[in-house]
Amino acid sequence: MPRAGLDQQIVLQAAAEIVDQHGWETLTLALLAQKLGIRTPSLYNHVNGLPGLRHKLAIYGMQQLKEALTNAAIGQSNPSSTVNRHFWAYRKSRIP
């Protein structure tokens, strides 16, 4: 049974923080469990192993990008130019 208060969103946010700070290749279930203060097997209540975590994390990243670009374009007279500018700013902030 999953720990109260721990859900997939929290797991993905913690995984994203690890990747943002240390790089994609450093992400392990053990490191993520340590960050969350749980035992590694508990993560299997939320993700299907490391491949499942990476897949969900990629989708999470795309959702974050979509949200950022959508918010940037709202109310702009030239949404295409705004989205392009914000896409490159987002990319630079996420990829060293």
Side-chain angles (χ1 to χ4, degrees):
M1 177 172 215
R3 185 184 93 190
L6 183 65
D7 62 17
Q8 191 173 80
Q9 184 72 16
I10 292 170
V11 170
L12 291 174
Q13 287 173 343
E17 288 173 11
I18 291 170
V19 171
D20 285 347
Q21 293 172 2
H22 306 289
W24 186 259
E25 64 282 348
T26 64
L27 180 63
T28 65
L29 293 180
L31 181 60
L32 179 57
Q34 180 182 9
K35 180 174 182 63
L36 292 168
I38 61 173
R39 293 173 33 136
T40 302
S42 298
L43 286 171
Y44 288 91
N45 292 316
H46 305 283
V47 296
N48 188 17
L50 187 57
L53 174 62
R54 288 185 173 184
H55 176 79
K56 289 188 180 291
L57 190 55
I59 293 169
Y60 175 78
M62 293 303 294
Q63 290 169 335
Q64 294 291 312
L65 174 60
K66 177 186 174 273
E67 184 177 313
L69 294 176
T70 299
N71 289 338
I74 292 174
Q76 298 296 316
S77 60
N78 187 351
S80 178
S81 175
T82 300
V83 167
N84 187 38
R85 186 173 63 255
H86 283 280
F87 167 77
W88 288 109
Y90 179 88
R91 183 181 181 280
K92 287 178 185 178
S93 74
R94 295 290 181 170
I95 301 174

